[in-house]
Amino acid sequence: MGIVEIRNLTFKYANSDKPSLYDINLSINKGEFFLITGPTGCGKTTLCKCLNGLIPNSYHGDFSGEVIVDGLSTKEHPVYELAQHVGLVFQDPENELFCTSVEKEIAFGPENLGLPRDEIRKRVEEAMAMVGISHLRERSPYELSGGEQQKVAIAAILAMKPKILVLDEPTSNLDSLSAYSILNLLLNLKKEYEMTIILVEHRLEIVAKMVDRCAIMNEGRIIAIGDPREVLYSDIVESIGIGIPKIVKLAKRLKLSSRPLSSSELANILKVKK
Amino acid sequence: MKIFEFEYKCETSIIHKLDPRAKLVYVILFTVLTIYFTNPLILLLIFLSSVPMAILGKIVRKWLISIKSSLFFIIFIFLFNFIGIFWTTGKIIDTIIISIAMTIRFISLISIFSIFFLSTSPEDLMQSMIKLKIPYEYVLTFNMAIRFVPTLAREAQTIIDAQRSRGLEFEKGNIFQKVKKYIPILIPLIISSLRRAEVIADAMESRAFGASKTRSFLYTLTMSKKDFIFISICIITFTIFLFLRMFSYIQ
Ligand SMILES: Nc1ncnc2c1ncn2[C@@H]1O[C@H](COP(=O)(O)OP(=O)(O)OP(=O)(O)O)[C@@H](O)[C@H]1O
Ligand SMILES: [Mg+2]
């Protein structure tokens, strides 16, 4: 059994007339780096909220099926308990940060758990070291750059010590350099700390070659799942019009037999051909 | 168009580092003094005693702004007292002296309170509220309200600019027409704030808000030596002022 198990999940928001998620089945293994992508409105954010129990605990609607994370069914456990197993990082860090210093921001979660002060201190230090922001500890979160803010938001979640990290478009408000830095950080969290990472992301160009598996969603359903080389080169992906990496398009045009995901891979293939 | 200039900047002066409770002692003692005295010279001394606080706190510029922005009230208080007292007593010298005293009293109060608020971070204020046993939910609400003022102001600005680029003219018309023109700003602002509130609530819940009845804190306020020194200075000054009054009686 995977660390995340989703079985026949269908969810309709109370004030909506059709389900936002239809019959989702998904199993994610421990230590996997899993990518979810798809056109806007396809239900990615809704799926993220199902993963940490905000749905069905805090949102009204018709929920059927089951989501089991780290052995806990989200129907039977409150969000604050699930938060210690699955961390959710949101799209816009501005709304996630509300304390006056980076350090206090990261301490907010452990403080809510009522942990002793030494333990909070230890967790804050660890979380800052994991994302490399120890030098920002006394700064006010609002005067940081977007990329730094997102790192603070990630550290604030890591301080809860979750095994699974879910990120909903963490780079959508960032320039490509900061985005690259965030995505590399995630790869490092997976490699060094063996975290399970579920990432919703549009920057396939950067991220496709980092991940172990990817799923494509459309209109509330998962329409393709598997190795990114299989999925991104499949015809179904082309038909729904998500931003396929240019490299993939180019490789398809060139009718290459191999399937590069980045420009350097493509360059290597072409060099060999010459 | 600038709506607010209300963003607490993390400064590190001696005054900022004082415990808010120590500063509260200052506020209370000196407020009592300004209300107790009627002699304009002593009131002026009280006002002058707050100047070093502003200088040490490196907040002179903002402190001046808050005094300047109450200029309207200052003039109003002076005129109101002047007319009122002259009407009842008819003595021009007394009237001038008392009116001046009242005005200085008001300026001193503004000075004392603005020093407190300009040198105390919302976070510190929050911590002292917790120490005063106010429930954490209320304290957090207070904190959020302050935290999101600049965000809201920025959002209002964006909406104003958007409506203006669609041809809405805010400057034209009488006062009622002007008020009416702010409705197309207020409604989008309220809607976006409600949305934001939902996102913030989700984010807080995802960080285990409400998990434990006994929340702990990384930092709590503790009175240190400098706070006690500060309180002592305040008490000493307070007593000196009281003696000043006795002294003036003896004369
Ligand atoms: N709180 C809500 N109440 C009602 N309907 C909602 C709510 N949130 C989302 N929806 C609907 O659910 C569907 C999926 O939305 P969701 O936000 O999950 O999409 P998404 O894939 O994250 O899109 P995007 O790429 O724009 O972030 C949409 O049709 C949306 O209108
Ligand atoms: Mg979304």
Side-chain angles (χ1 to χ4, degrees), chain A residues 83-98:
Chain A
Q84 297 167 65
H85 300 266
V86 209
L88 175 55
V89 177
F90 294 81
Q91 189 167 358
D92 186 2
E94 161 117 46
N95 295 326
E96 284 174 84
L97 307 175
F98 33 76

Side-chain angles (χ1 to χ4, degrees), chain B residues 79-234:
Chain B
L79 289 178
F80 191 78
N81 274 292
F82 190 86
I83 296 167
I85 297 164
F86 190 65
W87 193 270
T88 47
T89 64
K91 292 178 191 159
I92 187 76
I93 306 284
D94 283 5
T95 305
I96 291 175
I97 289 175
I98 296 173
S99 305
I100 288 176
M102 288 303 194
T103 312
I104 299 175
R105 174 184 284 174
F106 181 70
I107 298 174
S108 309
L109 284 178
I110 292 192
S111 169
I112 291 165
F113 277 89
S114 66
I115 284 169
F116 179 79
F117 283 106
L118 289 175
S119 71
T120 307
S121 72
E123 185 91 6
D124 278 357
L125 219 53
M126 228 173 107
Q127 288 297 342
S128 33
M129 285 161 85
I130 289 163
K131 285 274 176 184
L132 297 172
K133 301 269 183 283
I134 298 172
Y136 182 70
E137 286 77 14
Y138 297 120
V139 177
L140 191 71
T141 310
F142 171 79
N143 175 53
M144 291 277 187
I146 292 178
R147 149 74 180 88
F148 283 98
V149 165
T151 309
L152 214 66
R154 214 174 315 133
E155 209 155 77
Q157 192 59 61
T158 313
I159 296 170
I160 288 173
D161 291 344
Q163 300 291 35
R164 191 172 273 162
S165 70
R166 290 161 69 186
L168 198 65
E169 289 174 319
F170 291 98
E171 286 80 12
K172 282 191 182 162
N174 63 30
I175 188 139
F176 292 108
Q177 287 167 328
K178 271 186 189 164
V179 168
K180 222 172 126 193
K181 279 178 185 164
Y182 277 88
I183 292 174
I185 295 171
L186 230 49
I187 289 173
L189 197 61
I190 290 170
I191 292 173
S192 80
S193 304
L194 290 177
R195 275 224 189 100
R196 189 186 297 282
E198 197 172 69
V199 177
I200 296 167
D202 281 356
M204 283 171 55
E205 238 186 307
S206 305
R207 279 155 76 188
F209 184 69
S212 168
K213 284 254 182 307
T214 52
R215 195 178 190 278
S216 53
F217 292 93
L218 178 58
Y219 290 109
T220 50
L221 293 173
T222 40
M223 292 273 219
S224 64
K225 215 167 85 184
K226 63 179 186 304
D227 296 306
F228 289 113
I229 293 173
F230 178 74
I231 292 175
S232 317
I233 294 173
C234 288

Side-chain angles (χ1 to χ4, degrees), chain A residues 40-46 48 91 168-169 200 202:
Chain A
T40 178
C42 70
K44 303 179 296 291
T45 300
T46 309
C48 289
Q91 189 167 358
D168 186 9
E169 302 190 40
V200 173
H202 287 302

Side-chain angles (χ1 to χ4, degrees), chain A residues 1-272:
Chain A
M1 202 174 98
I3 195 163
V4 174
E5 288 285 339
I6 302 179
R7 297 194 197 118
N8 309 324
L9 168 65
T10 297
F11 180 74
K12 183 175 88 63
Y13 286 101
N15 55 353
S16 164
D17 41 81
K18 66 177 191 21
S20 297
L21 294 175
Y22 285 100
D23 197 28
I24 304 275
N25 281 288
L26 186 61
S27 171
I28 294 170
N29 300 318
K30 190 168 184 307
E32 200 169 11
F33 193 164
F34 193 88
L35 170 71
I36 298 172
T37 190
T40 178
C42 70
K44 303 179 296 291
T45 300
T46 309
L47 184 60
C48 289
K49 287 180 184 163
C50 288
L51 285 170
N52 87 330
L54 281 171
I55 296 174
N57 290 306
S58 302
Y59 281 83
H60 297 293
D62 304 335
F63 181 94
S64 69
E66 197 165 27
V67 177
I68 298 168
V69 283
D70 205 9
L72 307 173
S73 167
T74 57
K75 274 189 289 195
E76 287 148 21
H77 296 268
V79 179
Y80 63 76
E81 194 186 335
L82 293 166
Q84 297 167 65
H85 300 266
V86 209
L88 175 55
V89 177
F90 294 81
Q91 189 167 358
D92 186 2
E94 161 117 46
N95 295 326
E96 284 174 84
L97 307 175
F98 33 76
C99 301
T100 47
S101 77
V102 167
E103 218 175 23
K104 288 175 188 165
E105 194 65 64
I106 298 170
F108 181 81
E111 285 177 344
N112 285 331
L113 297 175
L115 298 171
R117 190 161 301 153
D118 297 342
E119 174 68 13
I120 297 178
R121 165 66 40 214
K122 205 173 117 234
R123 286 189 178 206
V124 170
E125 292 301 329
E126 275 174 14
M128 285 194 298
M130 279 167 93
V131 300
I133 52 166
S134 302
H135 58 291
L136 300 174
R137 66 177 72 222
E138 291 198 344
R139 298 275 293 280
S140 158
Y142 334 122
E143 41 181 60
L144 302 178
S145 73
E148 287 169 334
Q149 283 186 339
Q150 197 57 276
K151 283 186 184 171
V152 175
I154 293 173
I157 293 296
L158 291 177
M160 310 284 300
K161 297 217 172 211
K163 290 188 192 136
I164 308 155
L165 191 60
V166 183
L167 304 101
D168 186 9
E169 302 190 40
T171 69
S172 61
N173 296 333
L174 304 182
D175 61 280
S176 54
L177 203 64
S178 322
Y180 193 74
S181 148
I182 295 281
L183 296 171
N184 257 327
L185 166 71
L186 297 181
L187 190 60
N188 190 47
L189 288 178
K190 169 207 145 94
K191 283 185 180 157
E192 209 160 305
Y193 301 94
E194 293 169 355
M195 292 194 69
T196 308
I197 295 174
I198 302 171
L199 171 69
V200 173
E201 183 58 69
H202 287 302
R203 296 179 194 259
L204 302 182
E205 208 107 0
I206 306 175
V207 87
K209 62 174 193 291
M210 295 180 175
V211 300
D212 300 315
R213 270 197 309 158
C214 79
I216 312 279
M217 289 182 69
N218 193 30
E219 294 179 348
R221 296 171 203 274
I222 293 180
I223 56 165
I225 185 165
D227 185 290
R229 271 173 231 276
E230 298 293 331
V231 171
L232 294 178
Y233 277 85
S234 68
D235 296 327
I236 192 163
V237 170
E238 213 165 347
S239 67
I240 62 164
I242 58 161
I244 305 170
K246 287 194 197 72
I247 305 299
V248 173
K249 282 186 191 163
L250 191 60
K252 272 189 167 178
R253 284 269 172 82
L254 292 172
K255 300 207 162 54
L256 295 179
S257 52
S258 49
R259 295 175 162 181
L261 286 175
S262 69
S263 45
S264 54
E265 282 177 15
L266 181 66
N268 281 338
I269 293 165
L270 294 180
K271 257 188 225 152
V272 172

